């Protein structure tokens, strides 16, 4: 990209893709914005026209909105904590020279290839079902009373399912980081008298901080919009106990047929995501410099 | 105290035997250099002593104590790696302080030792920098600093200078030698560069394919090489070898003459080997002539910087009779 000619060429070649992507993004966004200022309810098709900020005040003043906001934060944080800590732990184990390492790694990675609704169904009916789930069987076997996961701990259940899905991703990234640590550095630390815990704390952790940052950033983006797992398992309930912002938009716009309010919720969700991204970048993004 | 003894040490990686059987005695305070061609097992031997590799059989004794199975931290040795192996996220100060911190030394004591090491190594003004912001020579010094603050029984260096440029290498060579004279601690230094070995060592171990070819002082190795391998490896430029009839005249399988042990003449001399100059390398102080000797092949000959031999000149070479090394069919010196 040194000369004016190559720069111009690059711009021209990129233009079609950029224009296409721009339209791809801008059309839905503009439509959402437009609907969010309209009276547009499928239940009441006669009521149309400009609504002003009514949709927004309706969404934000709704008590379930605050609960959904809190649920979103708990969901994101819970999954992040489980995947980062669990992922580090599994990565450390997988880094050990053991027999059958290759197969073990593939097995550990495999949950990532299961589609979210399928994963949720497996957990819902296979593991967490109150009557015939595997966990219930095990609890009965050791003489405990089985838990009705989705009724008693709806949000925790969703967190467990989502964490199970994202654990492989975190493990994979962290394992790669772990393996890029130079052998000589570990050996130097060993000779300097650092035991396993100190080596982990002073050498391995700082080395992995950048990978942890990447895991947090990427996962947060996806976790803010968790939907399928909730839809398949708890349906956001009981009440609003496991409804996050994304699912609230769905409940308002699709289940309650209020497109206007749903769109307003969507716009609010986009704004929240941007605020989170902003603070996240400030908090952990400095790890990515240089 | 820091005497190191290897007793019939053997090391194999799987089926590959890297070190067949080595027995060595290194005295307290000695500067010993392991030298040998690349891949001959120098690093492996050093790592065995450090405890970073397990021996396949044999024993390693430090100060007479069997440490064969002891983990690296318990052996009380410090190692300087070829890549320096500094901790990139720590400042120079924290890097040097790390082993002391691991030893749970009180903070004031650590600070004092780090300051002292930094002053000794000219690092005082870099203490708050990260390794990334240092030059190669400075990084090397930090690695050495990290080793000396621990006051180890012995230092192990694995080709510490091979990543530095030529001028810096000479400098650091002097600094390490000086450090040894100051500390009087046992040092084992691994290199493939025989000049480093000759200039730094009290005694040199010449390794070849995992075997000790000779263990002796630099001048011993130069004057009385035990075999053809050592004769060819020690000395720069390399010794010239002649086989066949000419060697048989000296009752040997092959004979060797160092480049510096020839008398040159432009006119035919009785008993001299006649050759033609292929390349003359003028260094100013010396001139190295690469001479095509009839029926022997290419010889390297050192002559004074004032000599004006050039490509195509005829030259008559007379080896100094007392400086002809004789070797038997097995390569052993006769
Ligand atoms: N971890 C290892 N596994 C298998 N072979 C090794 C290992 N480390 C070294 N070797 C082999 O041992 C031989 C000696 O290596 P090394 O001690 O590094 O040589 P040097 O330091 O003298 O260049 C080489 O042939 C190398 O391939
Ligand atoms: Mg080596």
């Amino acid at each position: 990209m040194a000369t004016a000619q190559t720069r111009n060429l690059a711009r021209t070649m990129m233009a079609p893709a950029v224009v296409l992507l721009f339209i791809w993004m801008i059309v839905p966004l503009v439509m959402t914005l437009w609907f969010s200022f309209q009276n547009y309810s499928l239940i009441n098709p006669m009521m149309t026209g400009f609504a002003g900020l009514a949709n927004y005040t309706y969404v934000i003043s709704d008590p379930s909105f605050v609960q959904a906001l809190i649920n979103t934060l708990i969901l994101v944080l819970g999954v992040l904590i489980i995947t980062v800590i669990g992922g580090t732990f599994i990565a450390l184990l997988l880094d050990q020279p053991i027999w059958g390492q290759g197969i073990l790694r593939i097995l550990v990675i495999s949950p990532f290839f299961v589609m979210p609704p399928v994963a949720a169904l497996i957990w819902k009916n296979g593991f967490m079902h109150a009557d015939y789930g595997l966990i219930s069987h095990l609890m009965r076997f050791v003489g405990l009373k089985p838990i009705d996961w989705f009724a008693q701990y709806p949000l925790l259940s969703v967190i467990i399912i989502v964490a199970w899905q994202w654990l492989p991703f975190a493990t994979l990234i962290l394992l790669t980081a772990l393996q890029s640590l130079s052998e000589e550095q570990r050996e130097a630390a060993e000779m300097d008298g650092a035991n396993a815990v100190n080596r982990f704390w002073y050498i391995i952790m700082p080395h992995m901080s950048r990978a942890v940052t990447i895991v947090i950033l990427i996962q947060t983006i996806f976790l803010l919009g968790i939907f399928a797992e909730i839809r398949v398992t708890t349906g956001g309930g009981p009440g609003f106990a496991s409804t996050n912002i994304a699912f609230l938009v769905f409940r308002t716009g699709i289940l309650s047929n209020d497109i206007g309010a749903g769109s307003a919720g969507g716009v609010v969700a986009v704004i929240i995501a941007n605020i989170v991204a902003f603070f996240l970048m400030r908090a952990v993004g400095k790890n990515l410099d240089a | 105290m820091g005497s190191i003894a290897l007793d019939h040490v053997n090391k194999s990686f799987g089926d590959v035997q890297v070190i067949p059987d080595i027995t060595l005695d290194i005295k307290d305070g000695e500067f010993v250099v392991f030298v040998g061609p690349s891949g001959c097992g120098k690093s492996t031997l050093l790592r065995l002593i450090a405890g970073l590799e397990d021996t396949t059989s044999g024993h390693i004794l430090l100060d007479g104590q069997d440490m064969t199975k002891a983990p690296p931290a318990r052996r009380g040795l410090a190692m300087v790696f070829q890549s320096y192996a500094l901790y990139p996220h720590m400042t120079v100060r924290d890097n040097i302080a790390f082993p002391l911190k691991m030893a749970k030394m009180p903070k004031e004591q650590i600070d004092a030792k780090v300051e002292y090491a930094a002053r000794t190594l000219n690092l005082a003004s870099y203490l708050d920098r990260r390794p990334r912001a240092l030059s190669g020579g400075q990084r090397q010094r930090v690695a050495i600093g990290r080793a000396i603050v621990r006051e180890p029984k012995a230092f192990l260096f694995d080709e510490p200078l091979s990543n530095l440029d030529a001028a810096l290498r000479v400098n650091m060579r002097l600094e390490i030698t000086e450090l040894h004279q100051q500390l009087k601690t046992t040092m084992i230094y691994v290199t493939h560069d025989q000049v480093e070995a000759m200039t730094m060592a009290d005694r040199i171990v010449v390794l070849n394919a995992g075997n000790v070819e000779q263990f002796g002082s630099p001048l011993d190795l130069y004057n009385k090489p035990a075999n053809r391998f050592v004769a060819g490896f020690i000395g720069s430029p390399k010794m010239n070898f002649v086989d066949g009839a000419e060697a048989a005249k000296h009752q040997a399988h092959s004979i060797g003459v160092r480049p510096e042990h020839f008398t040159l003449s432009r006119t035919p001399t009785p008993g001299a080997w006649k050759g033609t100059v292929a390349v003359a390398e003028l260094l100013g102080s010396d001139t190295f002539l690469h001479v095509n000797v009839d029926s022997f092949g290419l010889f390297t000959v050192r002559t004074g910087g004032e000599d004006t031999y050039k490509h195509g000149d005829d030259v008559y070479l007379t080896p100094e009779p007392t400086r002809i090394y004789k070797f038997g069919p097995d390569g052993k010196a006769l």
Side-chain angles (χ1 to χ4, degrees):
Chain A
M1 299 292 167
T3 66
Q5 197 203 353
T6 53
R7 261 199 305 276
N8 287 336
L9 185 66
R11 279 186 196 141
T12 318
M13 303 290 267
M14 271 158 59
V18 171
V19 169
L20 201 68
L21 274 176
F22 186 70
I23 293 170
W24 196 267
M25 279 174 51
I26 209 74
V27 168
L29 187 64
V30 168
M31 279 177 71
T32 308
L33 273 171
W34 170 252
F35 288 142
S36 71
F37 290 106
Q38 296 288 315
N39 285 318
Y40 184 4
S41 171
L42 300 179
I43 295 187
N44 200 348
M46 300 308 287
M47 206 172 91
T48 53
F50 187 66
L53 289 175
N55 284 329
Y56 285 91
T57 46
Y58 172 70
V59 166
I60 291 173
S61 59
D62 185 352
S64 56
F65 174 78
V66 178
Q67 178 156 20
L69 200 60
I70 294 170
N71 285 346
T72 307
L73 287 179
I74 294 175
L75 184 57
V76 171
L77 282 178
V79 175
L80 282 180
I81 290 169
I82 294 174
T83 51
V84 169
I85 294 177
T88 307
F89 190 69
I90 297 176
L92 285 172
L93 288 181
L94 285 182
D95 196 34
Q96 306 299 318
I98 39 171
W99 189 81
Q101 206 172 31
I103 291 173
L104 201 62
R105 279 187 197 163
I106 293 173
L107 282 178
V108 168
I109 305 307
S110 56
F112 204 47
F113 298 118
V114 180
M115 284 166 273
V118 178
L121 277 173
I122 292 170
W123 276 88
K124 180 183 180 181
N125 296 320
F127 295 122
M128 289 178 157
H129 196 281
D131 299 324
Y132 50 81
L134 194 60
I135 298 175
S136 300
H137 277 305
L138 287 176
M139 294 189 77
R140 269 195 293 270
F141 182 73
V142 297
L144 294 172
K145 207 165 116 41
I147 299 172
D148 187 355
W149 285 91
F150 298 110
Q152 287 174 271
Y153 307 104
L155 195 56
L156 179 64
S157 308
V158 174
I159 289 176
I160 291 172
I161 296 171
V162 176
W164 179 79
Q165 286 195 278
W166 282 94
L167 199 53
F169 172 77
T171 305
L172 198 63
I173 303 261
L174 296 174
L175 180 63
T176 316
L178 199 57
Q179 287 173 338
S180 74
L181 177 60
S182 91
E183 192 61 29
E184 288 202 338
Q185 246 181 66
R186 284 182 210 223
E187 290 173 350
E190 206 177 329
M191 296 220 57
D192 282 344
N195 58 25
V197 174
N198 283 331
R199 283 206 295 278
F200 175 75
W201 193 250
Y202 291 106
I203 311 296
I204 296 176
M205 274 302 281
H207 175 78
M208 299 219 300
S209 65
R210 185 182 296 206
V212 170
T213 308
I214 289 171
V215 168
I216 291 177
L217 284 175
I218 293 180
Q219 286 201 20
T220 304
I221 294 166
F222 284 94
L223 296 178
L224 282 171
I226 289 294
F227 173 79
E229 291 84 348
I230 299 174
R231 174 88 171 97
V232 171
T233 56
T234 63
F240 284 84
S242 59
T243 296
N244 66 353
I245 294 284
F247 201 75
L248 183 69
V249 172
F250 169 75
R251 281 178 93 153
T252 318
I254 309 296
L255 295 184
S256 310
N257 294 309
D258 190 341
I259 307 289
S263 298
V267 173
V268 172
V270 169
I271 293 169
I272 290 172
N274 275 290
I275 293 171
V276 171
F278 176 77
F279 283 109
L280 206 57
M281 284 307 281
R282 290 195 68 169
V284 295
K286 65 176 187 301
N287 270 340
L288 295 179
D289 296 343
Chain B
M1 283 299 288
S3 72
I4 299 170
L6 305 186
D7 180 23
H8 294 289
V9 167
N10 165 286
K11 175 68 185 173
S12 306
F13 291 107
D15 295 337
V16 189
Q17 198 171 52
V18 176
I19 292 172
D21 180 26
I22 286 191
T23 300
L24 268 186
D25 249 309
I26 295 167
K27 296 198 205 77
D28 179 38
E30 229 179 349
F31 195 126
V32 171
V33 173
F34 294 171
V35 68
S38 210
C40 71
K42 308 179 295 285
S43 299
T44 307
L45 192 55
L46 198 70
R47 292 165 57 82
L48 285 170
I49 296 171
L52 295 171
E53 304 275 1
D54 293 323
T55 52
T56 307
S57 68
H59 296 276
I60 294 170
L61 291 88
L62 304 177
D63 287 336
Q65 240 184 322
D66 192 339
M67 286 285 192
T68 316
K69 297 274 185 294
R74 272 209 29 232
R75 300 192 183 197
L77 307 173
M79 183 144 166
V80 175
F81 292 84
Q82 181 173 356
S83 68
Y84 318 135
L86 300 180
Y87 310 126
H89 52 276
M90 294 185 200
T91 58
V92 169
R93 184 190 304 280
D94 292 341
N95 262 285
I96 297 177
F98 188 70
L100 304 179
K101 196 166 151 187
M102 290 301 109
K104 302 211 167 56
M105 193 178 273
K107 178 108 180 43
E108 312 82 63
Q109 221 170 325
I110 293 182
D111 287 345
K113 284 193 181 239
V114 171
E115 291 294 336
Y116 179 75
R119 248 180 301 137
T120 317
L121 293 163
N122 274 329
L123 286 168
S125 45
Y126 307 107
L127 276 176
D128 294 312
R129 287 206 200 167
R130 296 280 162 93
R132 201 187 309 134
L134 298 179
S135 71
Q138 290 163 344
R139 285 180 207 186
Q140 186 60 71
R141 278 204 282 268
V142 176
I144 294 173
R146 193 171 65 185
I148 62 175
V149 285
R150 288 174 50 193
E151 296 169 15
K153 285 193 207 135
F155 292 94
L156 311 175
F157 294 92
D158 192 357
E159 309 215 8
L161 307 186
S162 53
N163 289 342
L164 303 179
D165 64 60
L168 205 50
R169 206 143 58 202
V170 175
N171 260 336
M172 288 301 298
R173 208 162 80 196
L174 289 176
E175 281 186 35
I176 293 175
T177 310
E178 240 178 67
L179 195 69
H180 178 246
Q181 279 155 7
Q182 242 179 56
L183 300 174
K184 300 190 172 52
T185 311
T186 314
M187 290 189 178
I188 301 181
Y189 185 104
V190 163
T191 179
H192 62 265
D193 180 350
Q194 61 91 24
V195 176
E196 272 177 28
M198 292 296 281
T199 50
M200 301 174 84
D202 292 330
R203 287 201 290 168
I204 298 177
V205 178
V206 182
L207 287 171
N208 182 26
N211 291 304
V212 176
E213 296 285 347
Q214 195 170 357
F215 183 22
S217 74
L219 286 181
D220 267 357
L221 266 52
Y222 179 85
N223 290 322
K224 294 194 277 291
N227 52 45
R228 193 174 153 155
F229 178 83
V230 176
F233 197 80
I234 299 292
S236 168
K238 276 166 109 82
M239 185 182 276
N240 305 292
F241 292 102
V242 181
D243 303 335
E246 187 65 34
K249 280 189 210 161
H250 295 87
Q251 293 85 42
H253 183 261
S254 61
I255 55 170
V257 183
R258 296 194 186 278
E260 52 271 40
H261 296 151
F262 283 105
T263 322
L264 278 71
S265 156
R266 286 178 187 277
T267 50
T269 319
W273 300 333
K274 179 174 175 293
T276 321
V277 175
V279 176
E281 293 179 320
L282 307 172
L283 300 182
S285 58
D286 300 304
T287 300
F288 293 125
L289 301 179
H290 298 269
V291 181
N292 264 316
V293 179
D294 307 345
S295 72
F296 299 158
L298 200 63
F299 269 31
T300 313
V301 177
R302 195 185 81 178
T303 173
E306 301 80 32
D307 283 354
T308 54
Y309 289 97
K310 55 181 193 300
H311 172 74
D313 286 359
D314 279 347
V315 60
Y316 294 86
L317 308 174
T318 316
E320 290 175 28
T322 56
R323 293 292 204 165
I324 300 174
Y325 298 91
K326 307 183 189 93
F327 304 98
D330 54 357
K332 290 235 164 59
L334 297 174

